[in-house]
Amino acid sequence: MWDGLGEYIKNLSEGRENFKVVEIGVGKFFDISNYLSACENIDLIKVDINPADRSVVRDDIMEPDLSIYNGVDLIYSIRPPYEIQPYLIDLSENINSSLIIKPLTGEDLNVKGRNMNLKNFKKVSFYIYP
């Protein structure tokens, strides 16, 4: 399943020389970030409020340091807590980037009435904005 999300993001980057991507709330799950880091044209930043190691930038999405997100093309978050989902939307709008949220199966989104499109790619379902 996770390969599908990584592949989808990689496909979005095709034809771009430097596609800047941020994973928010990476935790200790590096499968997708490791896959994307191996892509030559993807510049990946991993962010978490409690970084698991030195490869992860510390930031609080509820009060983001916007300098971290300068020039970002895509933000994605895997199973973000319900309460931070509106902040993900706000950040993507503030920096004019796309957003992918992969919620827990069966979980409703908390995106303040904004329309996110459900996308099914291979064996993974997620929401994309705009």
Side-chain angles (χ1 to χ4, degrees), residues 9-115:
I9 294 170
K10 180 182 175 187
N11 290 346
L12 290 177
S13 76
E14 287 182 4
R16 302 281 302 269
E17 189 172 311
N18 185 25
F19 192 70
K20 195 167 182 180
V21 178
V22 173
E23 179 175 355
I24 295 179
V26 67
K28 296 177 185 171
F29 178 74
F30 296 114
D31 289 10
I32 296 173
S33 59
N34 287 341
Y35 175 84
L36 294 174
S37 293
C39 299
E40 290 183 19
N41 66 324
I42 293 179
D43 178 15
L44 179 72
I45 300 169
K46 298 178 283 188
V47 174
D48 202 291
I49 195 164
N50 294 311
D53 63 36
R54 293 180 187 197
S55 71
V56 180
V57 176
R58 186 193 185 295
D59 194 38
D60 181 353
I61 192 65
M62 297 171 96
E63 295 180 21
D65 175 354
L66 294 179
S67 68
I68 295 169
Y69 307 95
N70 188 26
V72 168
D73 298 295
L74 174 71
I75 297 168
Y76 74 96
S77 188
I78 300 167
R79 297 181 247 174
Y82 188 78
E83 61 273 6
I84 73 162
Q85 292 174 11
Y87 295 96
L88 293 169
I89 288 274
D90 290 346
L91 178 60
S92 75
E93 288 178 343
N94 282 339
I95 64 169
N96 196 31
S97 76
S98 296
L99 170 66
I100 292 174
I101 294 178
K102 169 62 178 119
L104 287 168
T105 303
E107 179 182 39
D108 291 331
L109 291 180
N110 180 18
V111 291
K112 300 199 288 191
R114 289 161 180 119
N115 291 328

